[in-house]
């Protein structure tokens, strides 16, 4: 017997429609009226699920956080060495942005211009959390592998985080033509040789 597929809830439909509008209406300000038309409900129906557009954006940001950091936890479980961890975490975020262009606009922050400062803080905290994870991975390399960062762990973590933010910004600015994963393999080959160096471990 074919297993029944649970249809998305109205709340999920609203967030999916908002993400689609972010992708298709690049550069345009999204209104509640336009979103209601996209979902096929009244504006009052939208407000029954979300008290404001800011809450809808927060719902999408929460989805991004849960999706990324749940997978990052699996990466840390599956890979014990620092360089594979950094590689897979970075590749994950770039691929996620590429597959979700509308959410990339949230990550890039441009769509939040004129919105409440709380939303911009949420995106800032997401990238801070990502950078902290890179920093922890690089610092653990010395204990786990007898290696230490070629540059301070803080600088190395910031470099990886800045690379991710820059690639996402290029993706959004180019109207999704410059995909974040293009050139990533070549770039990683150059970056990875400079992130860590071996140290002599006392006998």
């Amino acid at each position: 017997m074919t297993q029944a597929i649970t249809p998305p809830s109205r709340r999920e439909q609203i967030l999916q429609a908002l993400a689609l509008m972010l992708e298709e209406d690049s550069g345009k300000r999204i209104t509640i009226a336009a979103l209601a038309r996209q979902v096929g409900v009244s504006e009052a129906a939208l407000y029954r699920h979300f008290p404001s557009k800011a809450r809808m954006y927060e719902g999408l940001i929460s989805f991004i956080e849960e999706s990324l950091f749940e997978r990052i936890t699996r990466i840390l479980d599956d890979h014990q060495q620092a360089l594979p961890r950094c590689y897979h975490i970075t590749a994950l975020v770039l691929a996620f942005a590429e597959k979700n262009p509308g959410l990339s606009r949230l990550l890039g922050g441009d769509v939040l211009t004129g919105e409440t400062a709380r939303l911009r803080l949420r995106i800032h905290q997401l990238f801070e959390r990502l950078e902290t994870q890179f920093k922890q991975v690089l610092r653990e390399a010395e204990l786990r592998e007898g290696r230490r960062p070629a540059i301070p762990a803080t600088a190395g973590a910031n470099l990886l985080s800045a690379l991710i933010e820059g690639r996402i910004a290029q993706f959004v600015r180019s109207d999704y033509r410059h995909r974040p994963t293009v050139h990533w393999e070549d770039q990683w080959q150059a970056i990875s040789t400079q992130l860590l160096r071996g140290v002599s471990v006392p006998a």
Side-chain angles (χ1 to χ4, degrees):
M1 181 181 295
T2 304
Q3 186 175 3
I5 299 175
T6 305
S9 67
R10 179 66 76 191
R11 183 183 175 89
E12 291 171 331
Q13 288 175 345
I14 292 169
L15 292 180
Q16 289 170 0
L18 178 56
L20 183 61
M21 290 183 71
L22 286 171
E23 177 181 347
E24 293 181 342
D25 300 331
S26 179
K28 296 181 182 177
R29 185 174 177 83
I30 293 173
T31 65
I32 292 295
L35 180 58
R37 288 194 297 272
Q38 179 80 12
V39 180
V41 299
S42 67
E43 292 181 43
L46 289 185
Y47 284 122
R48 282 197 292 272
H49 295 279
F50 294 96
S52 66
K53 188 170 64 171
R55 292 295 187 186
M56 297 177 197
Y57 282 134
E58 283 189 321
L60 288 180
I61 294 170
S62 294
F63 169 76
I64 295 171
E65 289 174 332
E66 291 166 9
S67 299
L68 291 180
F69 289 101
E70 180 180 309
R71 296 176 199 177
I72 286 172
T73 297
R74 292 204 294 267
I75 288 171
L76 297 177
D77 289 339
D78 293 342
H79 302 277
Q80 299 305 309
Q81 292 185 318
L83 287 180
R85 283 178 165 185
C86 289
Y87 168 83
H88 286 289
I89 290 172
T90 306
L92 163 69
V93 182
L94 294 179
F96 179 88
E98 186 172 305
K99 291 175 184 175
N100 300 279
L103 299 184
S104 292
R105 288 190 64 198
L106 271 181
L107 289 169
D110 76 304
V111 74
L112 299 178
T113 301
E115 299 291 343
T116 175
R118 183 178 71 251
L119 295 173
R120 295 191 296 276
L121 178 61
R122 284 285 301 273
I123 293 296
H124 172 73
Q125 290 172 334
L126 186 155
F127 279 103
E128 286 283 298
R129 184 178 173 188
L130 183 63
E131 188 169 326
T132 298
Q133 185 63 77
F134 281 130
K135 190 189 307 180
Q136 181 179 339
V137 168
L138 293 173
R139 284 177 173 169
E140 287 179 355
E142 187 167 2
L143 297 175
R144 290 172 176 268
E145 306 167 47
R147 306 180 76 182
R148 64 173 175 240
I151 59 176
T154 300
N158 179 258
L159 174 64
L160 292 173
S161 178
L163 182 146
I164 290 171
E165 290 193 64
R167 297 309 301 271
I168 292 174
Q170 286 181 335
F171 185 47
V172 173
R173 191 173 63 244
S174 69
D175 284 330
Y176 315 129
R177 291 190 300 274
H178 296 165
R179 295 182 292 112
T181 58
V182 171
H183 306 309
W184 163 237
E185 296 292 340
D186 292 334
Q187 290 170 339
W188 174 250
Q189 291 303 316
I191 293 170
S192 61
T193 59
Q194 301 301 318
L195 273 181
L196 292 172
R197 60 173 174 242
V199 296
S200 9
V201 179

